[in-house]
Amino acid sequence: MLTEINLQQALRAPPARALEKLGELYAQLDRDIAIRQPICNTSGRCCKFEIWGHRLYVSTLELAAFVHFTQLDQPSGPPADANTAITFPLPLYQEDRQFIPGCPWQIDGLCTARSGRPLGCRIYFCDTTAESWQQERYEYYHKQITALHEAFEIPYRYMEWRQALALLAL
Ligand code: SF4
């Protein structure tokens, strides 16, 4: 039975080799995208989930990598251990404790976390001619990422993006 402590440790201090392998998968996906060249017409509107009408989901390792790679770009560097606070650029919650509409890492229409963004962000394009390609590639990479959880004994969760981010604020 996996505990929250295990999950938090996996999020804040994942195995370095697992991060490396995930980075290799992201690089492989970048090459797939460069070959397929799907089109983006919406200039970040897809990151405003409620307006766009979809949701972003993420696995444990992707969330851990998001923290690691995103904070590599910050002056404070990556989190040192499981007790290191995660810095959010914008609030996660509204005053009524509902999630803000959209991703807190989108500022002035731009993603401020591109190096760490998860698979769903990387593969989503509003190009309707690329829908089946996206779905096939998502399933392929998600399967590879799931296998990394097994290989490195990382507790697997598949979570809506803001609910996943809320785990970082605990
Ligand atoms: S991480 Fe970046 S690409 Fe992904 S939803 Fe947030 S702002 Fe958009």
Side-chain angles (χ1 to χ4, degrees):
M1 180 76 178
L2 300 170
T3 68
E4 289 298 326
I5 291 173
N6 286 340
L7 182 64
Q8 286 294 340
Q9 286 174 339
L11 290 176
R12 313 286 175 115
R17 186 76 182 125
L19 293 176
E20 194 179 318
K21 298 292 280 183
L22 181 61
E24 289 170 7
L25 288 175
Y26 285 165
Q28 186 183 338
L29 173 58
D30 286 346
R31 291 192 289 275
D32 290 350
I33 291 169
I35 292 168
R36 176 58 178 78
Q37 297 188 354
I39 296 168
C40 169
N41 288 320
T42 54
S43 303
R45 283 197 291 272
C46 53
C47 303
K48 300 184 186 309
F49 310 120
E50 286 74 11
I51 293 170
W52 197 249
H54 68 177
R55 290 288 183 271
L56 171 64
Y57 285 81
V58 64
S59 63
T60 310
L61 179 57
E62 290 169 86
L63 183 60
F66 176 82
V67 173
H68 183 84
F69 293 138
T70 301
Q71 299 221 341
L72 275 182
D73 297 339
Q74 307 285 323
S76 58
D81 55 44
N83 297 315
T84 304
I86 307 301
T87 306
F88 286 60
L90 291 177
L92 184 61
Y93 296 106
Q94 304 177 130
E95 283 184 7
D96 60 4
R97 297 296 290 171
Q98 298 294 309
F99 290 128
I100 61 165
C103 177
W105 263 271
Q106 191 190 51
I107 299 176
D108 296 334
L110 296 175
C111 175
T112 60
R114 284 187 63 79
S115 60
R117 70 199 194 286
L119 173 64
C121 301
R122 290 165 189 269
I123 203 141
Y124 184 78
F125 290 84
C126 54
D127 184 344
T128 54
T129 71
E131 283 177 359
S132 59
W133 171 83
Q134 287 175 59
Q135 186 167 350
E136 185 276 324
R137 287 289 80 189
Y138 187 91
E139 287 172 7
Y140 171 81
Y141 283 106
H142 181 70
K143 193 172 174 183
Q144 305 295 317
I145 292 169
T146 301
L148 288 181
H149 287 76
E150 292 170 14
F152 291 95
E153 299 184 334
I154 296 168
Y156 179 85
R157 296 265 186 95
Y158 193 59
M159 305 163 276
E160 191 277 329
W161 182 230
R162 274 81 50 89
Q163 291 177 350
L165 292 176
L167 290 173
L168 302 177
L170 290 176

